[in-house]
Amino acid sequence: PKQDLFRVWDFDRNVPGKSPEEFTPQATGSTPVGEWEIAGDASAPSQPNVLVPVGTCGSDPCFHFVTTRLQNFSYPDVAVQVMFSGETAGQGAGLVLGAQGPSTAYFVVLNPIEAIVKFYRLKDKQVTLLSSERVRLWNKPWHSLRAQRVNFLHVNRPKLAVYVDGFQVAATPEDVMPAIDRFGLVVQGETKAKFDSLHVLDLVTNRPMSDPAAY
């Protein structure tokens, strides 16, 4: 039977100045929820449009993000192209993977100035830095960020593995990455960023051979 295993948002069919209807904007803590809008950009990997955050915040930790919900993408492979403008010291932008349930999400945030990717957990409105890793970056304006919820050797203890510009970064230190059903984009603090070509693929080959796994 036909399976729904792959989704793409290149934002090129959206109207500039409008928000993409499939995505819900959110913010951490008491930060007002900011808007996200479609904008034209001739430099975009997928022309002519990109998605940009309109609202920013100064206090740290502070995150603006948008998410959309997909059913049955239990082992997602999520990728996006991101371009930064201005200073991003101590801040950054990247991907959101939301655990099943309304109160938990994971942020994978790239800071290109410091060449660091950071892993955050948002749970019950509290943001926790889980780890940070040094990364290698392309000498190009647009960077590739990719995150996967993966099982190794089909043992049912999934981790979140991350790739930046094609180079693998260490997985999150969480013992078990919970099931994911929301995906999106995030900016931290005053970061100025543009996003293009958000892809979500369900890695069916990473599902355990039995549920629950027998080993």
Side-chain angles (χ1 to χ4, degrees):
K2 183 178 180 180
Q3 297 183 11
D4 183 13
L5 301 177
F6 188 52
R7 296 289 184 90
V8 178
W9 293 269
D10 56 20
F11 311 114
D12 294 333
R13 293 183 175 85
N14 297 90
V15 178
K18 301 289 186 180
S19 300
E21 294 182 356
E22 289 185 70
F23 290 84
T24 302
Q26 298 170 263
T28 59
S30 59
T31 303
V33 175
E35 294 296 324
W36 291 63
E37 292 184 355
I38 303 298
D41 191 321
S43 74
S46 172
Q47 298 178 12
N49 293 339
V50 295
L51 182 63
V52 297
V54 177
T56 58
C57 48
S59 59
D60 189 46
C62 171
F63 299 86
H64 283 283
F65 57 105
V66 287
T67 60
T68 188
R69 187 179 297 272
L70 294 177
Q71 299 294 331
N72 301 320
F73 278 57
S74 54
Y75 287 88
D77 180 343
V78 188
V80 74
Q81 302 290 318
V82 58
M83 178 180 177
F84 297 84
S85 59
E87 293 295 328
T88 57
Q91 302 178 22
L95 293 168
V96 182
L97 291 90
Q100 291 182 356
S103 62
T104 303
Y106 294 84
F107 302 147
V108 181
V109 176
L110 172 65
N111 182 308
I113 300 299
E114 300 174 359
I116 290 176
V117 65
K118 296 182 178 181
F119 303 91
Y120 293 91
R121 180 180 60 221
L122 170 65
K123 185 173 184 179
D124 299 326
K125 300 183 179 180
Q126 298 296 318
V127 178
T128 302
L129 175 63
L130 299 178
S131 68
S132 61
E133 300 288 343
R134 290 283 178 183
V135 296
R136 297 169 60 186
L137 297 174
W138 291 333
N139 186 23
K140 296 180 180 179
W142 286 89
H143 296 287
S144 171
L145 187 60
R146 178 182 178 189
Q148 300 175 331
R149 181 177 184 260
V150 294
N151 268 327
F152 297 97
L153 302 177
H154 291 277
V155 177
N156 193 22
R157 297 184 64 82
K159 297 278 190 177
L160 185 64
V162 173
Y163 300 79
V164 179
D165 285 351
F167 300 104
Q168 186 172 6
V169 179
T172 56
E174 290 284 274
D175 288 338
V176 177
M177 174 62 57
I180 301 296
D181 67 350
R182 288 174 290 130
F183 313 91
L185 306 168
V186 62
V187 290
Q188 181 179 6
E190 298 294 330
T191 301
K192 304 293 185 182
K194 305 174 184 179
F195 297 91
D196 192 22
S197 299
L198 175 63
H199 294 189
V200 181
L201 169 68
D202 188 22
L203 297 173
V204 294
T205 56
N206 273 290
R207 295 174 182 172
M209 296 179 179
S210 61
D211 189 17
Y215 48 89

